[in-house]
Amino acid sequence: MAKITVKDIDVTIIQRNGTDYVSITDIARFKTDDTNAVIGNWLRNRNTIEFLGIWECLYNPNFKPLEFEGFRKEAGLNAFTLSPQKWIERTDAIGLVSKSGRYGGGTYAHKDIAFKFASWISIEFELYIVKEFQRLKEEEQKLLGWSAKRELAKINYHIHTDAVKRNLVPAELTSCQTSAIYANEADVLNVAMFGMTAQEWRKANPNRKGNIRDDAAINELICLSNMENLNAVLINEGLPQRERLIKLNQVAIQQMRILTEVESRKLLK
């Protein structure tokens, strides 16, 4: 569940089968607190029924077209009324979702339908909600990209520690001694990339949560991921730690310079 604020109205967004559904109950509050009446009036409209029916025909193989035709013929008549629940139950519609409950309850619509409803409420509100929705999606993509790169760094860390285990950890060492060697090898990468050990970072940043890698930028994580793979190769080749540190630092400088130049070119376009 996520929220965006549009013209001082908090609009809830939920995920249903991997798709975004927007609360049209929240959108209706831009017009009045009697949200059920607003949605009911919108559903009485013939153009609304036709739009919903066509949308369902495109995306819902279980949609009941005969029930839809019945609603379409009655739409616009003085005595015609229709609730979201009735539309969903009679036609097996998936474009609208009715949720009960004090928190998060109300009527939700697939984003295509929600934006159509917003335009019926107010053209200005529609433009603002589309803008805020796009901003939310861009932020989610950035977060997803960071998380994916963080996971990649974790995967490469396992490759790296496996190389340490097979090549640098004698079988007779205790578990404490083994851990010390792993920490030492991790700091080879930390010093090469960040210029300090994990302990030095913690002393310099006592109020920050997480560790030196949690605090890293995306480009640093990309570079760190590459360095973990390279260090695993160098360990397998038997290169001494001091020589690996120098080589890894050179790689870090080169790759960070390239990544920075790429970002600068993107900003100039």
Side-chain angles (χ1 to χ4, degrees):
M1 181 182 294
K3 283 185 182 290
I4 56 177
T5 302
V6 185
K7 303 293 287 182
D8 297 324
I9 302 293
D10 289 335
V11 180
T12 306
I13 301 170
I14 63 172
Q15 283 277 315
R16 185 179 175 86
N17 298 324
T19 304
D20 290 306
Y21 277 69
V22 183
S23 172
I24 61 174
T25 298
D26 290 342
I27 294 173
R29 289 194 179 94
F30 181 72
K31 201 163 190 176
T32 177
D33 287 336
D34 191 0
T35 56
N36 289 334
V38 175
I39 295 171
N41 287 336
W42 177 65
L43 287 172
R44 291 183 69 246
N45 190 291
R46 185 183 183 89
N47 289 336
T48 299
I49 296 300
E50 289 181 343
F51 176 82
L52 292 176
I54 293 171
W55 189 94
E56 294 288 345
C57 288
L58 286 172
Y59 300 108
N60 181 7
N62 298 317
F63 184 59
K64 296 177 180 179
L66 293 179
E67 295 289 345
F68 157 61
E69 281 298 323
F71 286 134
R72 191 175 69 85
K73 289 177 182 178
E74 295 180 30
L77 297 177
N78 291 336
F80 177 68
T81 60
L82 183 62
S83 67
Q85 294 87 346
K86 186 176 180 181
W87 169 257
I88 295 166
E89 291 170 4
R90 293 277 294 276
T91 66
D92 278 347
I94 61 172
L96 295 181
V97 175
S98 181
K99 288 174 61 70
S100 59
R102 183 177 179 183
Y103 301 103
T107 302
Y108 291 79
H110 185 279
K111 60 184 177 62
D112 297 344
I113 300 170
F115 294 155
K116 188 73 172 178
F117 177 70
S119 70
W120 182 80
I121 292 287
S122 161
I123 296 298
E124 180 187 18
F125 193 87
E126 178 198 13
L127 292 172
Y128 276 104
I129 194 171
V130 170
K131 179 181 178 181
E132 284 302 306
F133 182 84
Q134 290 174 336
R135 181 192 59 78
L136 175 67
K137 294 294 108 180
E138 288 172 1
E139 288 181 356
E140 288 179 353
Q141 285 301 313
K142 288 179 182 178
L143 181 60
L144 181 64
W146 190 94
S147 298
K149 291 177 177 65
R150 186 74 175 101
E151 288 304 313
L152 178 61
K154 288 180 180 179
I155 292 170
N156 285 330
Y157 174 74
H158 289 300
I159 296 173
H160 176 245
T161 53
D162 181 66
V164 172
K165 180 179 179 180
R166 286 185 289 105
N167 296 274
L168 299 181
V169 183
E172 64 271 13
L173 288 181
T174 66
S175 59
C176 290
Q177 290 172 315
T178 300
S179 298
I181 290 179
Y182 284 146
N184 179 262
E185 276 304 314
D187 271 335
V188 169
L189 297 174
N190 290 334
V191 172
M193 181 69 238
F194 306 110
M196 65 180 73
T197 65
Q199 185 176 8
E200 288 170 340
W201 182 88
R202 281 192 292 272
K203 287 182 179 179
N205 302 277
N207 297 322
R208 291 193 187 181
K209 295 180 179 179
N211 56 48
I212 190 170
R213 300 188 185 197
D214 291 325
D215 196 57
I218 289 178
N219 282 350
E220 290 173 324
L221 287 173
I222 294 172
C223 185
L224 188 62
S225 173
N226 294 335
M227 288 168 58
E228 284 179 326
N229 280 330
L230 175 59
N231 196 34
V233 172
L234 297 178
I235 289 172
N236 288 329
E237 291 177 352
L239 204 66
Q241 188 181 86
R242 176 180 172 80
E243 293 181 29
R244 284 189 282 108
L245 176 58
I246 295 172
K247 187 177 289 288
L248 290 168
N249 181 244
Q250 292 171 344
V251 169
I253 293 170
Q254 179 189 30
Q255 291 197 1
M256 286 301 295
R257 183 184 293 121
I258 292 170
L259 290 170
T260 302
E261 289 174 355
V262 169
E263 279 198 349
S264 297
R265 287 198 295 269
K266 286 181 179 179
L267 291 173
L268 292 174
K269 288 183 179 179

